[in-house]
Amino acid sequence: MAVRPASMMLFDLLADTGEDVTGRPLRERRARLARLLAGAPAALALCPQTADVDVARLWFDEFGVTGAEGLVVDPESSPTPPTAGRHGSQPRRG
């Protein structure tokens, strides 16, 4: 059996060196996350992001083969609500 290394796609940052950043806009949290991931191993990657609805629909339909389970849909200006992980998510169609 071939061993397949694990990888992780990251889309949001909730804390940075002990600082709660959930009240900051998503665009700022993602920029901080991108800085933290600079130079990280390829197994840790910032997931793609788009404001283009057609691109998002394409990803939703085609990323299932990569193990992606859905999309997170949030305005770039939004803070992370207390229900983080449940808001705006669209589960993959079976």
Side-chain angles (χ1 to χ4, degrees), residues 50-88:
T50 185
D52 185 315
V53 173
D54 292 329
V55 170
R57 284 186 179 123
L58 178 68
W59 289 348
F60 188 80
D61 292 338
E62 294 185 0
F63 278 2
V65 298
T66 67
E69 296 176 354
L71 301 174
V72 174
V73 181
D74 268 337
E76 285 189 319
S77 60
S78 70
T80 302
T83 57
R86 292 183 289 178
H87 71 288

Side-chain angles (χ1 to χ4, degrees), residues 8-13 16 29-48:
M8 180 180 286
M9 297 290 286
L10 304 165
F11 71 92
D12 200 349
L13 182 68
D16 185 6
R29 297 190 317 268
R30 280 189 57 94
R32 287 176 95 162
L33 181 56
R35 285 191 300 273
L36 289 170
L37 291 174
L44 293 175
L46 186 63
C47 77

